[in-house]
Amino acid sequence: IIYRFTGEDLRIKSIHVEKNPYNAYRYGYTTPIDEYRQRSYLDFLREYVDRFVVQDIELQEYCPDAVVIPRSIDLDRFDYVGTVNKERPLVVHAPSNPSVKGTPFVRAAVAQLRDEGLAFDYREIIDLPHDEAVALYRSSDIVVDQLHIGWYGVLSVEAMALGKTVLTYIRDDLFE
């Protein structure tokens, strides 16, 4: 039996808060997941699961015996495009959960840069089918992923495959 964790199902709040100075909890995020029940569930799973899998080293911290199988995508669906808008870049941000992804900080930065006279367009991609979202990634120049987790997500992988500049927060202790 192989069990794959994907994020908040494994990310234990007390550890995350201790290790990550920019965690979303610091900025008012709350979760319905009770840490005691989360740890109990993990202990329960250990009795039945032969191998745990996570997609990155950030999640592996919460389950050290898990094997890391990195995020992957079908590169045939993500042909390299590179920079598209040379004169007025398009910046996109696709928050699945704005408080976790740091969307208030992205919006504040967009407002500040516009106030400073920087010419660019900004679009948030929310509640779109994946194919439509990817079409917008293709037409973008800069993609802002997640700013609170401390590691990159699927959006970063897709955007890098398209040749876009990606902004995300990677914790200093995980950088190497």
Side-chain angles (χ1 to χ4, degrees), residues 121-166:
D121 293 309
Y122 173 70
R123 171 111 189 242
E124 283 183 15
I125 301 171
I126 299 173
D127 294 330
L128 283 182
H130 186 251
D131 288 344
E132 290 179 37
V134 171
L136 288 169
Y137 306 157
R138 275 190 182 85
S139 67
S140 73
D141 303 287
I142 300 169
V143 176
V144 182
D145 192 4
Q146 51 198 28
L147 304 180
H148 290 312
I149 300 295
W151 198 251
Y152 61 90
V154 173
L155 174 57
S156 290
V157 175
E158 292 174 345
M160 287 187 287
L162 293 169
K164 306 305 177 175
T165 298
V166 176

Side-chain angles (χ1 to χ4, degrees), residues 92-108:
V92 299
H93 176 56
S96 53
N97 183 330
S99 59
V100 171
K101 303 298 182 172
T103 304
F105 291 97
V106 175
R107 290 174 182 159

